[in-house]
Short mmCIF file of all heavy atoms in Angstrom, two decimals:
data_model
loop_
_atom_site.label_atom_id
_atom_site.label_comp_id
_atom_site.label_asym_id
_atom_site.label_seq_id
_atom_site.Cartn_x
_atom_site.Cartn_y
_atom_site.Cartn_z
N PHE A 448 11.98 -29.33 22.21
CA PHE A 448 12.27 -28.84 20.89
C PHE A 448 12.54 -30.07 19.86
O PHE A 448 12.31 -29.74 18.62
CB PHE A 448 13.50 -27.87 20.85
CG PHE A 448 13.18 -26.49 21.38
CD1 PHE A 448 12.98 -26.23 22.69
CD2 PHE A 448 12.80 -25.53 20.31
CE1 PHE A 448 12.68 -24.90 23.08
CE2 PHE A 448 12.41 -24.28 20.82
CZ PHE A 448 12.34 -24.02 22.14
N TYR A 449 12.84 -31.18 20.32
CA TYR A 449 13.21 -32.33 19.46
C TYR A 449 12.10 -33.35 19.42
O TYR A 449 12.23 -34.47 18.92
CB TYR A 449 14.46 -32.98 19.77
CG TYR A 449 15.77 -32.08 19.26
CD1 TYR A 449 16.05 -30.86 20.03
CD2 TYR A 449 16.43 -32.43 18.15
CE1 TYR A 449 17.17 -30.22 19.61
CE2 TYR A 449 17.51 -31.68 17.70
CZ TYR A 449 17.89 -30.51 18.49
OH TYR A 449 18.88 -29.79 17.98
N ALA A 450 10.95 -33.04 20.10
CA ALA A 450 9.99 -34.14 20.31
C ALA A 450 8.54 -33.68 19.84
O ALA A 450 8.03 -32.69 20.34
CB ALA A 450 9.83 -34.51 21.91
N PRO A 451 7.97 -34.44 18.81
CA PRO A 451 6.58 -34.09 18.46
C PRO A 451 5.70 -34.32 19.66
O PRO A 451 5.99 -35.19 20.43
CB PRO A 451 6.24 -35.07 17.37
CG PRO A 451 7.74 -35.60 16.86
CD PRO A 451 8.62 -35.54 18.10
N THR A 452 4.77 -33.44 19.81
CA THR A 452 3.89 -33.61 21.02
C THR A 452 3.35 -35.07 21.05
O THR A 452 2.80 -35.49 20.13
CB THR A 452 2.79 -32.64 21.06
OG1 THR A 452 2.00 -32.73 22.19
CG2 THR A 452 1.89 -32.68 19.87
N SER A 453 3.36 -35.64 22.29
CA SER A 453 2.88 -36.94 22.49
C SER A 453 1.29 -36.96 22.60
O SER A 453 0.70 -38.07 22.81
CB SER A 453 3.52 -37.55 23.75
OG SER A 453 3.39 -36.62 24.90
N ARG A 454 0.61 -35.83 22.65
CA ARG A 454 -0.80 -35.85 22.81
C ARG A 454 -1.51 -36.62 21.78
O ARG A 454 -2.64 -37.17 21.94
CB ARG A 454 -1.26 -34.33 22.70
CG ARG A 454 -0.87 -33.54 23.96
CD ARG A 454 -1.21 -32.06 23.63
NE ARG A 454 -1.00 -31.12 24.70
CZ ARG A 454 0.11 -30.39 25.00
NH1 ARG A 454 1.21 -30.80 24.30
NH2 ARG A 454 0.25 -29.78 26.07
N MET A 455 -0.86 -36.72 20.55
CA MET A 455 -1.44 -37.50 19.40
C MET A 455 -0.78 -38.79 19.02
O MET A 455 -1.19 -39.40 18.07
CB MET A 455 -1.71 -36.57 18.22
CG MET A 455 -2.69 -35.39 18.58
SD MET A 455 -2.67 -34.07 17.35
CE MET A 455 -1.15 -33.16 17.72
N GLY A 456 0.20 -39.10 19.84
CA GLY A 456 0.93 -40.33 19.29
C GLY A 456 2.40 -40.22 19.47
O GLY A 456 2.94 -39.31 20.01
N THR A 457 3.13 -41.21 18.90
CA THR A 457 4.54 -41.38 18.97
C THR A 457 5.25 -40.62 17.94
O THR A 457 4.60 -40.15 16.91
CB THR A 457 4.93 -42.77 18.95
OG1 THR A 457 4.63 -43.31 17.51
CG2 THR A 457 4.23 -43.71 19.85
N PRO A 458 6.55 -40.30 17.94
CA PRO A 458 7.24 -39.74 16.76
C PRO A 458 7.07 -40.48 15.51
O PRO A 458 6.88 -39.84 14.41
CB PRO A 458 8.77 -39.73 17.22
CG PRO A 458 8.65 -39.67 18.75
CD PRO A 458 7.40 -40.50 19.15
N ASP A 459 6.97 -41.72 15.63
CA ASP A 459 6.77 -42.56 14.19
C ASP A 459 5.34 -42.33 13.75
O ASP A 459 5.02 -42.35 12.59
CB ASP A 459 7.09 -44.04 14.50
CG ASP A 459 8.54 -44.36 14.30
OD1 ASP A 459 9.34 -43.30 13.98
OD2 ASP A 459 8.95 -45.50 14.51
N ASP A 460 4.42 -42.14 14.76
CA ASP A 460 3.00 -41.83 14.21
C ASP A 460 3.02 -40.48 13.51
O ASP A 460 2.33 -40.35 12.52
CB ASP A 460 2.12 -41.71 15.45
CG ASP A 460 1.89 -43.11 16.12
OD1 ASP A 460 2.04 -44.20 15.42
OD2 ASP A 460 1.52 -43.18 17.35
N PHE A 461 3.73 -39.52 13.96
CA PHE A 461 3.76 -38.20 13.29
C PHE A 461 4.50 -38.39 11.89
O PHE A 461 4.10 -37.77 10.87
CB PHE A 461 4.56 -37.27 14.18
CG PHE A 461 4.70 -35.82 13.45
CD1 PHE A 461 3.56 -35.18 13.17
CD2 PHE A 461 5.96 -35.34 13.10
CE1 PHE A 461 3.73 -33.83 12.57
CE2 PHE A 461 6.18 -34.13 12.48
CZ PHE A 461 4.91 -33.42 12.14
N ARG A 462 5.59 -39.25 11.91
CA ARG A 462 6.12 -39.57 10.59
C ARG A 462 5.11 -40.12 9.62
O ARG A 462 5.02 -39.78 8.36
CB ARG A 462 7.30 -40.61 10.70
CG ARG A 462 8.56 -39.90 11.35
CD ARG A 462 9.72 -41.05 11.54
NE ARG A 462 10.89 -40.45 11.95
CZ ARG A 462 11.25 -40.32 13.23
NH1 ARG A 462 10.41 -40.89 14.25
NH2 ARG A 462 12.42 -39.80 13.63
N PHE A 463 4.22 -40.98 10.17
CA PHE A 463 3.20 -41.56 9.33
C PHE A 463 2.36 -40.65 8.68
O PHE A 463 1.93 -40.58 7.53
CB PHE A 463 2.31 -42.52 10.16
CG PHE A 463 1.32 -43.33 9.52
CD1 PHE A 463 1.66 -44.60 8.78
CD2 PHE A 463 -0.03 -42.89 9.34
CE1 PHE A 463 0.71 -45.22 8.13
CE2 PHE A 463 -1.00 -43.64 8.62
CZ PHE A 463 -0.66 -44.79 8.05
N LEU A 464 1.95 -39.51 9.44
CA LEU A 464 1.15 -38.41 8.94
C LEU A 464 1.84 -37.68 7.79
O LEU A 464 1.22 -37.33 6.77
CB LEU A 464 0.78 -37.42 10.21
CG LEU A 464 0.00 -36.16 9.74
CD1 LEU A 464 -1.23 -36.41 8.93
CD2 LEU A 464 -0.21 -35.28 11.02
N VAL A 465 3.14 -37.29 8.01
CA VAL A 465 3.87 -36.55 6.96
C VAL A 465 3.87 -37.38 5.82
O VAL A 465 3.73 -36.89 4.62
CB VAL A 465 5.22 -36.11 7.59
CG1 VAL A 465 6.12 -35.56 6.48
CG2 VAL A 465 5.14 -35.15 8.84
#
Side-chain angles (χ1 to χ4, degrees):
F448 281 81
Y449 284 78
T452 179
S453 55
R454 292 170 173 87
M455 291 170 282
T457 68
D459 275 357
D460 292 337
F461 179 63
R462 288 181 173 92
F463 184 87
L464 172 60
V465 174

